[in-house]
Amino acid sequence: MRWQDNLTVVLVETRNPLNIGAAARAMLNFGFTRMVLVAPYEVAFQEARSAVGAASVLASARVFPGLAEAVAGCTLVVGTASAGKRVFHQPRHLLPEAASRLRAHLERERAALLFGSEKFGLSNEHLSYCQWTVRIPTNSRCPSMNLGQAVALCCYEMARTTASGQAKGSLHRRAAADQLERIVARLSGVLDASGYINLRTRRSHLLKIRRLVRRLDLSPDDAQVLEGMLRQIDWKLARDNRKSGP
Amino acid sequence: MRWQDNLTVVLVETRNPLNIGAAARAMLNFGFTRMVLVAPYEVAFQEARSAVGAASVLASARVFPGLAEAVAGCTLVVGTASAGKRVFHQPRHLLPEAASRLRAHLERERAALLFGSEKFGLSNEHLSYCQWTVRIPTNSRCPSMNLGQAVALCCYEMARTTASGQAKGSLHRRAAADQLERIVARLSGVLDASGYINLRTRRSHLLKIRRLVRRLDLSPDDAQVLEGMLRQIDWKLARDNRKSGP
């Protein structure tokens, strides 16, 4: 069993079908599949079911009249709530820490993560089922998040632990010194032919060009392309010079 | 100036007013205020403006017909794209690393973060303006995210990163997007005049040149030097062409 299958996302009294659909899609984006709805607006749920994008999550979503039945079987129940001026009776954890606690739990046992209605959030009654709550660290001037976005953030943060583990640094290959030096030579030639380089300051110009080409931090492929461009420009300038003569 | 004010969130060809509103709200949730729309569906933008919740962001949002104007002045342009089977021409970073790179940049300079249309995402043409792209580590079975949720994740992750902690890598200044675009134009002109660019493949060449110039990762000074070189070569080629005649 995958750890994601141990999570139940519980939407309580959701009103907007678009939010149900958006929540389902965000779950799937991060590999979660179990959704439960508590007392949703009937119309909202029907409309959401007919939406595309996350059909599998919505098709298997279960509906309960009350929260108690919805979270039965979960050994950890966690509520989400925006900051505001509310008094909380449960411990609160910021999302990054909350997600890693949830993740650790989900590796072994089932947990429920609760999201309240768009208008009122989770009531104190709802929160009373929770061991602790999550605070998403939003700006105090606009603390309340869109429901679908809050679900997305929580799912992302739980999945993130491994995701960032897999993140590899960008170890892309670099052009070799001799290849770079050919570019320096070509570019100098082109600039000579164009009258960009003053003869008196030629030596210092060459150093500047060499340093510039080093700074470009070229890959072997890009170096080859650039060399080809310069070769063609060089050829064209030489031909024109022969044509127009001294 | 707060670091958040250095970020421009750019929505390209967005269709759904709800997504524009959701993106604006997610921005405010994490303290971001600058939104730019490129060629949005007119109706969508008007409807979004009349929505509640993130009025300040939408009221000050600017609209541009094209991407080049929208990102002018930004010294880093980053695109978002879902996984899929697409071939990418730019370096890709997973969101956690991408956010810390962006954050480090925003502490000092302006950056743009691009989101494509709901249906098509960002095109290769759009991505050719980007130095690199972000990959949100979604599940391969449902990789594509809802627009508002993707904006929320990126904003959250940038705000989450503590500047002191993870700001690493290149701390040198970068050329702005409009300066890079002038180099692209000059280089294309020079290559045209040299016969490097085949008329039939001109369009794909332009994209390649734009991507190449982005990869060079130029400082403002180097960009100025390069522009000067190209201007001179251009002038010389034009003069030679006049001399040798048709």
Side-chain angles (χ1 to χ4, degrees):
Chain A
M1 188 148 173
R2 303 177 317 135
W3 64 270
Q4 287 101 327
D5 297 326
N6 273 335
L7 182 78
T8 304
V9 170
V10 183
L11 304 185
V12 183
E13 294 169 14
T14 310
R15 289 160 166 260
N16 186 336
L18 292 174
N19 284 336
I20 300 176
R25 180 162 166 196
M27 288 172 60
L28 264 191
N29 282 145
F30 298 102
F32 300 94
T33 54
R34 275 175 185 255
M35 175 185 271
V36 158
L37 295 118
V38 173
Y41 279 36
E42 190 55 36
V43 182
F45 186 44
Q46 293 313 325
E47 280 191 37
R49 276 224 163 142
S50 66
V52 290
S56 63
V57 169
L58 292 171
S60 63
R62 299 179 65 191
V63 180
F64 293 96
L67 187 52
E69 308 94 294
V71 300
C74 293
T75 51
L76 173 64
V77 179
V78 175
T80 54
S82 64
K85 289 195 178 114
R86 183 167 186 178
V87 175
F88 284 93
H89 304 279
Q90 294 81 15
R92 310 202 72 197
H93 298 297
L94 278 176
L95 177 55
E97 197 206 325
S100 81
R101 282 170 175 258
L102 265 166
R103 172 68 186 263
H105 187 94
L106 293 169
E107 297 283 354
R108 309 177 317 277
E109 292 177 32
R110 290 183 51 198
L113 183 56
L114 276 48
F115 295 86
S117 79
E118 296 90 336
K119 198 157 183 182
F120 305 109
L122 294 170
S123 68
N124 283 336
E125 160 93 22
H126 298 142
L127 287 174
S128 70
Y129 289 90
C130 300
Q131 270 95 339
W132 44 268
T133 64
V134 180
R135 182 165 92 74
I136 298 176
T138 46
N139 196 286
S140 57
R141 291 165 65 187
C142 181
S144 169
M145 283 201 77
N146 165 286
L147 175 57
Q149 292 174 337
V151 172
L153 282 188
C154 292
C155 291
Y156 163 75
E157 192 67 74
M158 279 181 285
R160 184 189 194 277
T161 319
T162 42
S164 54
Q166 291 160 1
K168 301 173 193 113
S170 44
L171 284 173
H172 44 298
R173 291 173 58 226
R174 294 287 133 229
D178 50 329
Q179 200 176 8
L180 294 182
E181 204 46 35
R182 286 202 301 274
I183 290 175
V184 172
R186 283 279 178 199
L187 182 53
S188 306
V190 165
L191 292 174
D192 261 339
S194 310
Y196 180 87
I197 297 182
N198 186 314
L199 272 185
R200 279 192 307 123
T201 54
R202 196 166 191 283
R203 209 186 123 69
S204 86
H205 255 111
L206 281 184
L207 292 188
K208 281 181 190 159
I209 290 168
R210 184 174 288 123
R211 289 193 294 257
L212 173 70
V213 169
R214 270 16 178 226
R215 283 197 297 274
L216 300 183
D217 197 31
L218 294 164
S219 71
D221 289 348
D222 282 351
Q224 205 177 345
V225 169
L226 216 54
E227 204 187 333
M229 288 176 172
L230 288 167
R231 194 185 305 122
Q232 176 73 26
I233 297 170
D234 208 9
W235 172 85
K236 174 73 172 154
L237 283 168
R239 206 190 59 159
D240 289 347
N241 273 346
R242 272 198 307 279
K243 265 196 192 170
S244 58
Chain B
M1 189 147 175
R2 304 176 317 134
W3 64 271
Q4 286 100 328
D5 297 325
N6 273 334
L7 183 79
T8 304
V9 170
V10 183
L11 304 185
V12 183
E13 294 169 14
T14 311
R15 288 159 169 262
N16 186 336
L18 293 173
N19 284 336
I20 299 177
R25 180 163 167 195
M27 287 171 61
L28 264 190
N29 281 146
F30 298 101
F32 299 94
T33 54
R34 272 175 189 257
M35 176 185 271
V36 158
L37 296 119
V38 173
Y41 278 36
E42 191 53 38
V43 181
F45 186 44
Q46 294 312 326
E47 280 191 35
R49 275 223 162 143
S50 65
V52 292
S56 63
V57 169
L58 290 171
S60 63
R62 299 180 64 192
V63 179
F64 292 96
L67 187 51
E69 307 92 294
V71 299
C74 292
T75 50
L76 174 63
V77 180
V78 175
T80 54
S82 63
K85 292 201 178 104
R86 181 166 186 178
V87 175
F88 284 92
H89 303 280
Q90 291 81 15
R92 312 200 70 197
H93 299 295
L94 278 175
L95 178 55
E97 197 206 325
S100 86
R101 281 171 177 257
L102 265 167
R103 173 67 183 264
H105 187 94
L106 292 170
E107 296 285 350
R108 308 177 319 278
E109 292 179 31
R110 292 183 52 200
L113 183 56
L114 276 48
F115 296 86
S117 79
E118 296 89 337
K119 199 156 183 186
F120 304 109
L122 294 170
S123 67
N124 282 337
E125 160 96 23
H126 299 141
L127 287 174
S128 71
Y129 288 89
C130 299
Q131 270 92 343
W132 44 269
T133 64
V134 181
R135 182 164 92 74
I136 299 176
T138 47
N139 195 286
S140 58
R141 289 165 63 188
C142 181
S144 169
M145 285 201 76
N146 165 285
L147 176 58
Q149 293 173 336
V151 172
L153 283 188
C154 292
C155 290
Y156 163 76
E157 191 67 71
M158 278 182 284
R160 181 188 195 280
T161 310
T162 48
S164 53
Q166 307 183 28
K168 56 190 167 199
S170 50
L171 284 172
H172 44 303
R173 291 175 60 226
R174 293 287 134 232
D178 45 332
Q179 198 177 10
L180 295 181
E181 202 50 29
R182 286 200 302 273
I183 290 175
V184 171
R186 282 279 177 200
L187 182 54
S188 306
V190 164
L191 293 174
D192 260 339
S194 311
Y196 181 88
I197 297 181
N198 185 317
L199 272 185
R200 279 192 308 124
T201 55
R202 193 165 193 285
R203 208 184 122 73
S204 87
H205 256 111
L206 282 183
L207 292 188
K208 281 181 189 158
I209 291 169
R210 185 177 287 125
R211 289 193 292 255
L212 174 70
V213 169
R214 262 44 176 198
R215 284 196 297 273
L216 299 183
D217 196 31
L218 293 165
S219 71
D221 288 348
D222 283 351
Q224 205 176 347
V225 169
L226 215 54
E227 205 187 334
M229 289 174 173
L230 289 167
R231 194 187 305 121
Q232 176 72 26
I233 298 169
D234 209 8
W235 172 84
K236 174 72 172 157
L237 284 168
R239 207 189 60 158
D240 289 346
N241 274 345
R242 272 198 306 278
K243 264 195 194 171
S244 60

